[in-house]
Amino acid sequence: MMKTISRLHKAMMVLEYFTSHSWVWNTDNVAMLLAQMSPEDKKVFNFDVRQLHWAEYMENYCMGTKKYVLNEELSGLPAARKHLNKLRNIRYSFNTVLVVLIWRVFIARSQMARNIWYFVVSLCFKFLSYFRASSTMR
């Protein structure tokens, strides 16, 4: 636990200057330069941030911070990702069960809601039976 706390403290001290000050960025010159560049120059000097895939960029940023700032090993990442996927699936299952229970308890008291419920359930069974039948055709 002390090792984790010391790593966290070290990371906080490294990032303190950047997190405790206010920063204002002006991009007018970059936009002007990008507008004046030829298509060939845009290919050579690719600095348009609108083309970044931000999810991938942030993942690489966090991995770099973990590896180079916190000096941690990346060997535990596959197990952590598997655990996160399991937690996500549990959350989806719980939310689905909760919606079904709320539907059955509160909404399904009317005949119209009951008809809608039976229609949705029958569609789900038809969908599952279609995939069961189509998977045996291979």
Side-chain angles (χ1 to χ4, degrees):
M1 193 65 164
M2 285 301 293
K3 185 178 179 182
T4 304
I5 291 173
S6 65
R7 283 185 180 171
L8 185 61
H9 188 307
K10 179 182 172 185
M12 286 174 36
M13 296 311 293
V14 167
L15 300 173
E16 179 187 9
Y17 179 78
F18 299 102
T19 59
S20 62
H21 289 84
S22 176
W23 304 95
V24 177
W25 302 98
N26 188 350
T27 60
D28 294 339
N29 289 338
V30 174
M32 181 183 65
L33 179 63
L34 193 59
Q36 292 179 358
M37 290 175 73
S38 69
E40 182 181 328
D41 286 340
K42 287 180 184 179
K43 287 181 184 175
V44 173
F45 305 104
N46 187 17
F47 64 91
D48 188 9
V49 295
R50 294 174 293 188
Q51 297 174 357
L52 279 178
H53 185 258
W54 285 101
E56 181 181 347
Y57 174 80
M58 288 306 294
E59 183 178 351
N60 290 337
Y61 178 81
C62 291
M63 291 299 122
T65 302
K66 182 176 175 124
K67 184 175 182 179
Y68 297 111
V69 175
L70 300 175
N71 294 324
E72 293 183 3
E73 291 293 322
L74 301 178
S75 60
L77 283 177
R81 284 190 175 130
K82 191 179 289 186
H83 182 70
L84 282 175
N85 284 337
K86 186 185 295 184
L87 288 175
R88 186 194 69 220
N89 291 339
I90 289 171
R91 185 186 75 200
Y92 288 160
S93 301
F94 177 77
N95 288 343
T96 303
V97 167
L98 188 64
V99 165
V100 167
L101 285 176
I102 289 172
W103 175 265
R104 293 297 291 164
V105 170
F106 294 115
I107 299 173
R109 299 197 187 274
S110 73
Q111 183 62 35
M112 187 168 127
R114 201 172 299 124
N115 291 341
I116 292 172
W117 171 254
Y118 290 136
F119 176 71
V120 168
V121 169
S122 67
L123 278 179
C124 290
F125 282 127
K126 286 178 185 176
F127 185 71
L128 289 174
S129 65
Y130 171 75
F131 276 117
R132 225 179 289 136
S134 65
S135 65
T136 60
M137 290 183 188
R138 292 181 188 180

